[in-house]
Amino acid sequence: MITFKLAKDLTKYLEKQKQVGNSIGFIPTMGALHEGHLSLLKKSVEMSKVTVCSIFVNPTQFNNREDLEKYPRTVSEDILLLEESRCDILFLPDENEMYPDEQSKQKHFDLGHLETILEGKFRPGHFQGVCLVMEKLLKFVNPDFLFLGQKDFQQCLVIQKLVHLLHDDTKIIICPILREPGGLAMSSRNVRLSPSDRKLASQLHQALVSIENRMDGHHFPELKEQAIHDLENKGFKVEYLELAGKTDLQILPDFKVKKELIILVAAFLSGIRLIDNLLINP
Ligand code: AMP
């Protein structure tokens, strides 16, 4: 694996790869890699000639200073995992490389309703930060395929919109959520959970599954209220639990036949914010 710290070196190398007809797959990450990230890597290795992974804890997408400071950083372990996963290129920029001055943080992206609902509503500015960093990364890498995790479903739609706004022809591949044996969606933040909270955290996924199992003969508001009540009794603080259309992420009041649906949830457990979602087929 070759590691680049400077964007210009990375771009120069990748342009040569493109000139000889090699396809490029890209997995942007914030490091503290786990099996979920590695599943994206695996997909890229299958589909592309050259697999590029970036590790950058992007400060502009954190709307909470403590979350940024406590975000796990495990670069040496990450490098070993990437090598084992047959990653070809690691892009490991520092903050100065991504944001050389204040002006490089000033751009605004029109994300429409995606910015005012769910993660957009509860994490103001988050998706602007995601777009800031992704615009730069897409320019540096210019990938054929971009691998994203369904775990961050709203982020996938935001990046899809960004790619469209940039008139970029990168193909986005959304990969399924990898879970711990109990059902907890794998996440870099999970290492911050105590062993007992980690067990309890799987209830978040169970709550979504239980809604799916009971959707015949029940209305969503009733199931939502019950799920929030149960989760809060177990110690979660639920920020949102919503039903939406899968393609447009329009929030829906109830289950609709003939529409692909998704239930999305965000909740705190002992101060650690967890998100999850479940695609359902009515
Ligand atoms: P992050 O490092 O959290 O920014 O995540 C980098 C990429 O990995 C994003 O596209 C995430 O959606 C994806 N990802 C994170 N957790 C999982 C998971 N449990 N399963 C699949 N993909 C994931």
Side-chain angles (χ1 to χ4, degrees):
M1 185 172 73
I2 313 172
T3 300
F4 292 101
K5 295 200 167 187
L6 300 180
K8 65 172 176 24
D9 296 341
L10 172 78
T11 304
K12 198 168 147 197
Y13 179 90
L14 292 175
E15 273 170 0
K16 276 194 197 138
Q17 293 295 320
K18 284 216 146 195
Q19 275 161 16
V20 296
N22 288 341
S23 59
I24 294 168
F26 179 40
I27 304 100
T29 82
M30 297 206 297
L33 301 182
H34 51 68
E35 293 287 330
H37 296 116
L38 300 184
S39 70
L40 272 54
L41 249 301
K42 187 163 176 240
K43 192 86 197 150
S44 175
V45 170
E46 275 167 29
M47 288 181 62
S48 349
K49 190 82 186 160
V50 179
T51 288
V52 183
C53 178
S54 65
I55 297 181
F56 179 61
V57 182
N58 175 33
T60 62
Q61 73 186 67
F62 284 80
N63 56 322
N64 176 326
R65 203 188 162 85
E66 191 189 348
D67 190 27
L68 172 62
E69 280 163 8
K70 293 196 173 163
Y71 200 85
R73 289 159 171 89
T74 57
V75 176
S76 325
E77 288 95 325
D78 292 348
I79 288 174
L80 292 177
L81 287 171
L82 289 174
E83 277 174 342
E84 278 170 19
S85 304
R86 298 177 33 222
C87 179
D88 301 297
I89 309 291
L90 167 61
F91 181 47
L92 189 62
D94 64 13
E95 195 174 331
N96 205 35
E97 182 66 6
M98 296 305 285
Y99 301 112
D101 49 37
E102 272 310 301
Q103 217 205 332
S104 59
K105 298 182 185 171
Q106 294 310 327
K107 197 162 176 184
H108 185 269
F109 301 85
D110 181 9
L111 302 174
H113 83 295
L114 288 174
E115 217 178 343
T116 59
I117 55 162
L118 309 167
E119 292 299 286
K121 178 173 167 190
F122 285 94
R123 301 187 68 188
H126 169 64
F127 287 131
Q128 289 298 324
V130 168
C131 288
L132 266 180
V133 81
M134 279 307 301
E135 184 186 26
K136 291 170 197 288
L137 290 171
L138 285 170
K139 195 174 97 197
F140 299 155
V141 178
N142 188 17
D144 298 277
F145 306 114
L146 176 64
F147 298 87
L148 302 172
Q150 184 203 313
K151 156 92 191 324
D152 300 279
F153 189 76
Q154 192 172 359
Q155 174 171 276
C156 293
L157 297 201
V158 163
I159 295 173
Q160 235 160 30
K161 177 135 195 169
L162 174 72
V163 164
H164 181 76
L165 289 172
L166 298 173
H167 306 290
D168 190 316
D169 59 2
T170 299
K171 187 168 164 36
I172 293 180
I173 318 282
I174 301 181
C175 304
I177 306 176
L178 253 76
R179 300 181 178 280
E180 308 279 358
L184 171 65
M186 290 181 180
S187 162
S188 304
R189 287 182 179 88
N190 290 353
V191 295
R192 292 180 52 209
L193 292 165
S194 68
S196 60
D197 277 349
R198 211 174 166 119
K199 247 187 194 160
L200 190 57
S202 61
Q203 293 296 319
L204 203 58
H205 173 59
Q206 299 309 331
L208 301 184
V209 172
S210 160
I211 292 177
E212 185 190 27
N213 290 340
R214 296 171 62 211
M215 60 189 276
D216 281 339
H218 291 89
H219 289 291
F220 179 69
E222 177 196 343
L223 297 178
K224 169 179 167 172
E225 197 184 314
Q226 179 76 57
I228 293 179
H229 179 78
D230 291 350
L231 286 167
E232 302 228 323
N233 271 345
K234 286 170 183 149
F236 289 86
K237 170 101 193 55
V238 178
E239 261 190 350
Y240 64 76
L241 194 163
E242 298 289 358
L243 176 70
K246 182 193 160 194
T247 43
D248 53 11
L249 218 58
Q250 290 293 347
I251 306 294
L252 298 171
D254 208 345
F255 302 113
K256 256 193 189 163
V257 194
K258 285 197 193 142
K259 185 150 183 161
E260 286 184 288
L261 302 172
I262 182 164
I263 315 172
L264 309 102
V265 67
F268 283 95
L269 186 60
S270 302
I272 294 156
R273 193 169 184 279
L274 304 169
I275 58 169
D276 202 349
N277 64 70
L278 189 68
L279 293 169
I280 55 172
N281 219 337

